[in-house]
């Protein structure tokens, strides 16, 4: 069964894309989500989430870029604690979204 597919509904209700290597740029990450949402039928019915690592210090920026590209969920950790260089820090994501709400809005696919 292809990733994201469900035999009964055509789509799972959740699909997670991870920046597991920690070196994707925000522009690339946003384009990834936007591309999937534009090309996959009924993708508007799925909840896409991001899971970013901080190897180059881009976990929060990539998480926000994923939201701009259409992700509706961010997987993050308190203080960014995680394997290798860590994950997106919850407190930084929250403050970015609170202080700059327009930078995090998704545009329709």
């Amino acid at each position: 069964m292809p990733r994201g597919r469900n035999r009964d509904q055509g789509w799972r209700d959740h699909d997670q894309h991870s920046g597991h290597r920690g070196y994707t740029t925000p522009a690339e990450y946003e384009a990834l989500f936007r591309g999937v949402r534009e090309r996959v039928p009924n993708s508007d019915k799925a909840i896409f989430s991001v899971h970013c690592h901080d190897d180059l210090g881009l976990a929060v920026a990539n998480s926000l870029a994923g939201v701009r590209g259409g992700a509706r969920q961010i997987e993050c950790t308190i203080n960014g604690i995680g394997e290798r260089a860590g994950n997106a820090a919850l407190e930084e994501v929250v403050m970015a979204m609170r202080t700059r709400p327009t930078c995090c809005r998704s545009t329709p696919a």
Side-chain angles (χ1 to χ4, degrees), residues 1 4-14 41-43 45-46:
M1 192 161 44
R5 302 295 282 169
N6 176 306
R7 286 186 189 102
D8 300 324
Q9 301 168 335
W11 266 97
R12 291 189 311 216
D13 61 357
H14 175 265
N42 298 318
S43 63
K45 294 176 175 50

Side-chain angles (χ1 to χ4, degrees), residues 27-55:
E28 292 168 331
Y29 213 57
E30 181 177 352
L32 169 76
F33 281 92
R34 192 173 308 283
V36 168
R37 292 193 60 228
E38 289 171 353
R39 291 178 180 90
V40 176
N42 298 318
S43 63
D44 59 318
K45 294 176 175 50
I47 298 172
F48 290 93
S49 68
V50 298
H51 175 95
C52 299
H53 289 265
D54 209 28
D55 296 44

